[in-house]
Amino acid sequence: KQWYQRRVHGQMAVFFRNNHFSTMYKQGANLYLLVTDQGLLHQLDVVWETLENIEGDIVFVDHQLNPVQPDAEAGAGGGSPDQDHLLAMSLQKEDQAQRDKDREWQNFKEKHLGNTEGLTDSELAARLQELRCCSWKGKTRRRRGGVGQWPGTRTG
């Protein structure tokens, strides 16, 4: 309640709920979240949804904050089975790519940085910078008579 009272009319903020970031906008006494639902992608009138409580009782509104009713087939489950399957496959592929990226990052940290458990973000950044600096210095020492370059880059 204190957070809500400190928001200024017309102010935007970042809202985090259900492991998802949203753009929040305050207009008068109302809060709105920018609609990012894939199921409403082709509903051009649907721009914001109301945020009145956490139970999910929402009203969709347009860019002028006037209530709109999305098409019935636009909601979840309204797509064709083929479209739903393609969307599910795409999401599955994105999830796998993210898991692979996370695993690669973990392997890199273990190999090059040692135990990073309990480090603050700035301590981890300092270690990464030191690693990058040491790697760069090693490459310039190995090059004969040339200007140094960052690891992973090529000279023309």
Side-chain angles (χ1 to χ4, degrees), residues 85-138:
H85 179 72
L86 289 173
L87 178 59
M89 295 288 287
S90 172
L91 293 173
Q92 210 170 25
K93 187 176 179 180
E94 287 176 18
D95 286 346
Q96 184 60 47
Q98 185 61 47
R99 282 193 299 273
D100 291 346
K101 189 175 178 180
D102 291 345
R103 191 175 317 114
E104 184 179 340
W105 171 239
Q106 277 305 117
N107 291 341
F108 175 86
K109 285 194 313 183
E110 289 170 7
K111 181 178 179 182
H112 297 286
L113 302 174
N115 183 8
T116 59
E117 193 71 32
L119 290 180
T120 65
D121 287 347
S122 77
E123 291 169 332
L124 180 58
R127 278 198 189 175
L128 286 168
Q129 188 174 7
E130 183 180 334
L131 177 68
R132 180 74 167 195
C133 183
C134 291
S135 176
W136 184 72
K137 285 179 183 176

Side-chain angles (χ1 to χ4, degrees), residues 11-30:
Q11 183 179 22
M12 289 197 168
V14 176
F15 183 69
F16 187 75
R17 175 178 69 170
N18 296 335
N19 209 23
H20 178 73
F21 287 100
S22 298
T23 301
M24 180 187 291
Y25 177 69
K26 182 176 181 185
Q27 179 75 22
N30 299 316

Side-chain angles (χ1 to χ4, degrees), residues 53-64:
N53 58 48
I54 59 173
E55 279 88 40
D57 300 334
I58 59 171
V59 174
F60 293 108
V61 297
D62 64 12
H63 68 286
Q64 294 179 331

Side-chain angles (χ1 to χ4, degrees), residues 65-93:
L65 307 178
N66 298 316
V68 295
Q69 185 65 40
D71 293 339
E73 62 266 1
S80 72
D82 289 339
Q83 289 174 329
D84 291 347
H85 179 72
L86 289 173
L87 178 59
M89 295 288 287
S90 172
L91 293 173
Q92 210 170 25
K93 187 176 179 180

